[in-house]
Amino acid sequence: MSKPKVVLIAGAAHGGTTILNMILGQHPQVFATGKLRDFPQGDVFSEGNICSCGEAALACPFWRQIRERYLPFQEAPGQQKVGQLFRLISELSGRAFTGDVTHNVSYAEQLQQTRDIDLYLVHVVRDGRGVVYSRVRKDIRTGVLDDSLVHRLQRVTRITRRWSLQIKRYAALEKKLGAKAVRVSYEAVCRDPRAALQPVGECLGLDFSAIGECLAAGQPLDPVPHMLRGNIKLRARKDVVLRHDTAYLTEMPRLDRAVFHLVSRLPVWSGS
């Protein structure tokens, strides 16, 4: 029996992983799921979590079937359990690839070591200033972070270090996976989706040229049927158009920018 094919879209939070997952999910051979880490625990089926089909995750017919069929495997060894989950999704969706998303490098490393799946990696890298500015802005807006200078700069420093370390660790995974891994610039996808998607297609053995043409023409993405997690604003909308958020270029405070440039140039190592 062939192994289920998994394309893991990995990168930083606020780094473009959700939109790229939705873009890949436009292809008839890719089933975009969102984030499957800890399935079915964690917040996957928490109250208020809505599937992109419009149903509560707990009530979604697709995911209800997956949960029911997955139940007998929950006590199986870790690798076997992961393999069964992706196999069930592949069988029920009828698509060759299951698109998973993660911002967690340890999860990506775990999947790379899982013998029961055929893993492909799409590593999305966004300009770190955009990642930091977007995350800090959200933390302030939601009350997670106050706007005091000291706290804000501490947050900028931590996010920058995490962004740098993630890139290094994902680069190591790229090396291990070889031809089954590809690095994609978020900015390149926004500027010229046709060219940026070509190496992704070559990696997966799929043709994304028509999808790239539609994106370049400013056409909205078709709704992705059953995404469980990811940017809620994106997966809940029916008229998503690829747009490059460049607010950080004009709105990011100069001191935040200076701290980012300093910290991002410091060496990183796995223990940092």
Side-chain angles (χ1 to χ4, degrees):
M1 184 181 295
S2 61
K3 300 177 183 179
K5 293 183 178 181
V6 178
V7 52
L8 183 66
I9 299 98
H14 297 261
T17 51
T18 297
I19 189 67
L20 190 62
N21 189 31
M22 294 174 70
I23 290 172
L24 299 191
Q26 302 297 293
H27 196 284
Q29 290 301 318
V30 180
F31 187 77
T33 65
K35 303 174 188 175
L36 292 176
R37 184 167 66 96
D38 298 328
F39 184 97
Q41 280 77 42
D43 64 350
V44 180
F45 294 107
S46 61
E47 185 177 352
N49 187 37
I50 306 298
C51 178
S52 62
C53 70
E55 295 279 357
L58 278 170
C60 169
F62 179 87
W63 290 111
R64 186 169 62 244
Q65 289 188 66
I66 295 296
R67 291 178 72 204
E68 290 172 353
R69 297 184 188 184
Y70 180 66
L71 187 61
F73 301 101
Q74 289 199 62
E75 302 303 321
Q79 290 201 5
Q80 182 181 345
K81 183 165 60 175
V82 170
Q84 288 296 340
L85 174 60
F86 285 111
R87 186 176 304 282
L88 289 170
I89 294 172
S90 177
E91 290 174 355
L92 193 57
S93 70
R95 302 194 183 191
F97 287 88
T98 297
D100 194 4
V101 172
T102 194
H103 307 141
N104 185 297
V105 186
S106 295
Y107 175 70
E109 292 168 339
Q110 174 192 337
L111 290 188
Q112 189 272 325
Q113 296 169 8
T114 300
R115 296 184 298 272
D116 293 339
I117 64 173
D118 187 8
L119 182 68
Y120 295 75
L121 175 70
V122 177
H123 178 197
V124 187
V125 178
R126 183 184 182 188
D127 187 317
R129 295 170 298 174
V131 170
V132 171
Y133 175 69
S134 178
R135 183 60 184 269
V136 169
R137 182 174 55 180
K138 178 184 177 182
D139 288 348
I140 292 174
R141 184 175 65 249
T142 57
V144 173
L145 175 71
D146 63 61
D147 198 19
S148 69
L149 181 62
V150 172
H151 290 167
R152 195 181 79 237
L153 294 183
Q154 287 175 338
R155 188 67 170 144
V156 169
T157 299
R158 285 195 295 270
I159 297 170
T160 303
R161 290 295 287 175
R162 187 181 304 124
W163 172 81
S164 298
L165 178 58
Q166 280 185 327
I167 290 176
K168 181 175 182 179
R169 290 178 67 184
Y170 281 132
L173 272 182
E174 291 176 42
K175 187 174 181 180
K176 289 180 180 179
L177 287 165
K180 290 186 176 181
V182 61
R183 182 179 297 195
V184 178
S185 160
Y186 167 74
E187 286 76 23
V189 172
C190 294
R191 286 194 305 267
D192 187 351
R194 291 166 294 194
L197 290 175
Q198 183 175 346
V200 177
E202 292 171 355
C203 176
L204 302 182
L206 300 175
D207 184 1
F208 287 95
S209 57
I211 296 167
E213 292 285 351
C214 291
L215 292 172
Q219 297 181 21
L221 297 173
D222 291 333
V224 177
H226 294 292
M227 281 184 65
L228 281 178
R229 284 165 158 171
N231 186 315
I232 185 63
K233 291 183 179 179
L234 284 178
R235 60 189 172 94
R237 289 177 55 182
K238 309 299 181 185
D239 59 347
V240 176
V241 174
L242 183 62
R243 183 180 64 85
H244 189 191
D245 180 5
T246 58
Y248 66 92
L249 294 175
T250 55
E251 299 176 13
M252 187 176 188
R254 289 185 178 181
L255 192 52
D256 293 20
R257 191 189 306 269
V259 169
F260 168 80
H261 281 300
L262 174 64
V263 175
S264 64
R265 282 162 173 72
L266 296 175
V268 293
W269 56 93
S270 297
S272 64

